[in-house]
Every structure is written in structure tokens, then in C-alpha cells.
Amino acid sequence: MKNVVLLGSTGSIGTSTLKVVEDMPDRLRLIGLAAGGNVDLLVEQTARHQPGTVSIQDPSRVEALQQRVGSSVKVLSGTDGLVALATLPEADIVLIAIVGTAGLLPALAAIRAGKDIAVASKEILVMAGELVMNEAKAHGVRVLAVDSEHSAIFQCLEDKPAESVRNLWLTASGGPFRDRTKWPREALAQVTLEQALKHPSWVMGRKITIDSATLFNKGLEMIEARWLFGIEMSRVQVVVHPQSVVHSMVEYVDGSIIAQLSTPDMCLPIQIALCHPERVKSDRVKTNFAAIGSLTFEEPDTERFPALLLARQAGELGGTLPAVFNAANEIAVERFCRREIGFLDITRHVRAVMEAHQRIDQPSLDQILAADQWARTVSV
Ligand SMILES: NC(=O)c1ccc[n+]([C@@H]2O[C@H](COP(=O)([O-])OP(=O)(O)OC[C@H]3O[C@@H](n4cnc5c(N)ncnc54)[C@H](OP(=O)(O)O)[C@@H]3O)[C@@H](O)[C@H]2O)c1
């Protein structure tokens, strides 16, 4: 039996994680849950899974939540609450699925407390990949991927050393604006929020759905892969694969390519991370190749989606630049969601903030957090 702490239980990854836990009650037990503001769903989840501790973002709502979940459940709040959950003595693994940067401090705290972490929140490795991976190594814990692409690479790599790899190939669905004839660059300037929120293959949270439309999501994943698998950016490649059946691939130095395939369902990479190193029977995902028919691949269009180039630059130069890339994008996406800026302005904004940044090499955690804050407040 593994004791699981789930940070971000009310989100898209969070609710899929609960399904996986419900699938295997003899293997996985939820002992801690954290949510942002969706208190009603957290109360429902607490009644169903009976974790000993829960946490919400806003301290002023703790008392009301305590009354609803009863005195047998400890209620915490804010960053302290997330850190306390991530370091619960009885926790075996902490799955972090909080959107944004709030997952970084609890991730580091969990590692330092000797817990394996399963990472959905890509911001953690984008901002502080080197630091997080060094800490994990020092404490002998695993950083397991929840992102379907990184889970695929993890499965294909089977702990082979970086020297055996020629390239890591991340697949990208291409998002709702993949079709160049339907969506030339001029048309992208007019994209509405509703159009950007219609992802062709996955149902996900709002932020990652917009990031999939701009391809910033793939850019974040490139940097995440670089740290997770200890491979320099020049060996992290992207190919567009609209069917989202090949979740990613490893090209070995001998030319052989190993891919991981299945119909898209986030429950699969979540299960693989939580059950690692075992393969556990599940009927949730079944893939019918005849029904899929064909698998196609295309070169990514960096002219219409320059986010990939910015990500490569951020990942290659490193230091505080990836944190700035991530934070500037978060701010731009928020503004696009409030309809204050257009779709193409997202990339424009991120590029301008990156250009204005004085990069620091080998940054400390404080310097990373300061760069993140700077990128959120600077006006360009
Ligand atoms: N969705 C996917 O298929 C997918 C795939 C790969 C990776 N990811 C990554 O996984 C992360 C989560 O994505 P998602 O799609 O699940 O997002 P989402 O549906 O928007 O859910 C975000 C979760 O974070 C919680 N949250 C936000 N701020 C918080 C805070 N300060 N303290 C505690 N909880 C907080 C939210 O709580 P409330 O809802 O209660 O406010 C919610 O539970 C992102 O980093 C994303 O890039 C997602």
C-alpha cells in the first residue's frame, strides 16, 4: 500500500488521480489533499477518501472548511499547508498537480523529507530543474513524470544513460490552430478565447489548454525534459503528431527509436507514476489501431508558433531565464483570458520580457523566485 499526498486535487489532473486511486484501493491510499478555491469539491473528495489532512489556499476559509469536514480531519492553508502535506511522515509519494508556481516549495520540501515526487506541474522543473534534480539525487528520491510525454520518454528510456540517446522526441498535437491554410499567421491575430480553449485531443485545465494552442506548453515540456532526463536542449526535439497516440519517443545512438503509444487518457501516466516500478492491470485504456487508422507526423511551424524557439533559447541559456519565460507566459495567458491582449501578443510579451531580463547563471532558489516575481511585475 502506498500513501499518496495529492496537491491540486480539484483540478483536471487531480480528479483523474482520484479515479486512479479509486481503481486500486488495495494499492493506493490518499492521506492528504490540497486545493485552491474549490472548497465544495474538496469537501466531497474528503468525505469519499477520508484523508487525515487537507489544505486550501485561503487561510480565511479554514474555519468554514473545518466545520464541513469534521474534527477528525486536520485543515491547513497556504504555502505552509502545502509544505506540511508534502512532508507528512507517513507519505510515500507526493503528486503535484497545482497550476502555476505554487508547487515548487512543496516539491523541494517533499524531496528533502525523502519522499518520491510525481510531477504534473511542469513549472517546477522549468523554473528550478537543476536545483530540484540535484536535491532529488542528494536525497535518493525519484522525480516521476506525470506529463504524458515525459511518462512516455521515461518508459522508453528504462534508466539507460544519457550517452545512449541521440534525441528525445516530444510529440505535440499541434493544438487547435495546427492547420496553416485555415489559420495563417494573420488569422491567429484574431483568435478568440473560446477558439483557443477548444483543444483537439485533451480536456485539460484552462492555462495548459491556452499553452497548447500557442505551443508554449510544448516549450515548457522541452525544458522539463532537459532536466528530468539530464539531456542538453540540442537533443530535445519536437514533432507534431495530431492523433496524440504516440506520446513521445527516444531515438538511441544506434538509430533505433522506441515510442510509447496508447489512446490519450491522463489516467495512464498518473497510474504509471503512482505505481512505479510496477505495471498494474487496468482496463481503463484500450487502444484500437484499426479504428485509429493512421498516425501522421509533421514539422512544427515555428514561424506561426515561435514559442518553441523562445523555449529553446531559455533552455539553452538556462540560469534564471526559464523562470522568466514561464512567469511572463503565465501573466500573458491571464491577460489573454481577461481579453486584454490578443493571441499573438502572448508570444510578443514573453519575448520582450526575456529580452529585458538580466540573466543569472547557477541561480539560488531565492534568485529564481526573485526572477519569477520580476517577470510578473515588469512592464515591457
Ligand atoms: N490537465 C492535463 O492533462 C495536464 C497534463 C500534463 C501536465 N499538466 C500540468 O499539471 C498542472 C495542473 O494542470 P490541470 O490541467 O490539472 O490544471 P487545473 O485543472 O487548472 O487545476 C489546477 C489545480 O491547482 C489548484 N491550485 C491552484 N492554485 C493553488 C494553490 N495556490 N494552492 C493549492 N492548490 C492550488 C486548483 O485548485 P482549485 O480548482 O480548487 O482552485 C486545482 O486543483 C499544470 O502545471 C499543468 O501544466 C496537466
Side-chain angles (χ1 to χ4, degrees), residues 48-205:
R48 196 173 170 94
H49 290 275
Q50 311 203 317
T53 313
V54 299
S55 185
I56 47 167
Q57 195 172 351
D58 180 357
S60 70
R61 299 175 78 182
V62 166
E63 217 176 291
L65 175 59
Q66 185 74 69
Q67 279 176 8
R68 291 179 68 184
V69 294
S71 55
S72 61
V73 181
K74 195 168 173 184
V75 180
L76 306 169
S77 66
T79 305
D80 290 350
L82 294 173
V83 169
L85 273 177
T87 54
L88 281 177
E90 61 275 33
D92 296 308
I93 185 163
V94 181
L95 193 151
I96 306 163
I98 297 177
V99 66
T101 53
L104 177 56
L105 293 179
L108 283 168
I111 290 171
R112 289 171 183 153
K115 320 286 182 196
D116 285 342
I117 59 170
V119 178
S121 309
K122 52 198 85 190
E123 297 84 353
I124 294 171
L125 289 167
V126 171
M127 289 176 77
E130 190 167 16
L131 208 99
V132 168
M133 296 311 286
N134 284 344
E135 287 284 331
K137 205 169 163 193
H139 290 86
V141 301
R142 291 209 81 133
V143 179
L144 295 152
V146 169
D147 240 332
S148 59
E149 292 79 357
H150 303 79
S151 173
I153 290 174
F154 177 71
Q155 293 174 67
C156 298
L157 264 179
E158 288 183 323
D159 281 333
K160 294 268 192 317
E163 305 85 76
S164 353
V165 174
R166 189 187 287 167
N167 285 303
L168 301 180
W169 284 96
L170 295 171
T171 52
S173 71
F177 312 124
R178 179 180 62 85
D179 187 342
R180 175 189 273 275
T181 48
K182 218 167 133 200
W183 294 102
R185 195 168 160 79
E186 315 78 76
L188 287 181
Q190 310 306 324
V191 157
T192 64
L193 176 60
E194 289 69 24
Q195 286 167 328
L197 283 172
K198 267 200 197 117
H199 194 274
S201 340
W202 300 93
V203 178
M204 308 179 285

Side-chain angles (χ1 to χ4, degrees), residues 177 179-191 214 301-307 343-348 351:
F177 312 124
D179 187 342
R180 175 189 273 275
T181 48
K182 218 167 133 200
W183 294 102
R185 195 168 160 79
E186 315 78 76
L188 287 181
Q190 310 306 324
V191 157
T214 54
D301 182 347
T302 51
E303 196 201 322
R304 286 186 310 137
F305 302 106
F343 186 75
L344 293 179
D345 295 329
I346 299 176
T347 311
R348 232 174 264 141
R351 182 185 287 118

Side-chain angles (χ1 to χ4, degrees), residues 346-366:
I346 299 176
T347 311
R348 232 174 264 141
H349 175 83
V350 176
R351 182 185 287 118
V353 177
M354 283 172 70
E355 278 168 6
H357 181 59
Q358 301 277 328
R359 193 174 62 84
I360 300 172
D361 248 337
Q362 304 266 303
S364 65
L365 179 60
D366 284 345

Side-chain angles (χ1 to χ4, degrees), residues 207-274:
K207 159 77 171 44
I208 185 174
T209 306
I210 303 296
D211 284 349
S212 300
T214 54
L215 263 65
F216 265 98
N217 183 48
K218 210 49 57 182
L220 293 166
E221 287 176 4
M222 289 164 71
I223 303 172
E224 189 185 4
R226 184 246 177 285
W227 291 115
L228 202 46
F229 304 112
I231 294 251
E232 61 277 22
M233 280 304 279
S234 58
R235 285 194 283 162
V236 179
Q237 314 296 350
V238 174
V239 65
V240 173
H241 166 53
Q243 296 81 18
S244 300
V245 170
V246 175
H247 296 304
S248 278
M249 303 174 268
V250 176
E251 178 184 0
Y252 283 100
V253 282
D254 57 11
S256 178
I257 297 179
I258 312 277
Q260 185 259 338
L261 293 80
S262 75
T263 50
D265 185 332
M266 281 310 295
C267 286
L268 183 54
I270 292 169
Q271 169 175 329
I272 287 166
L274 290 181

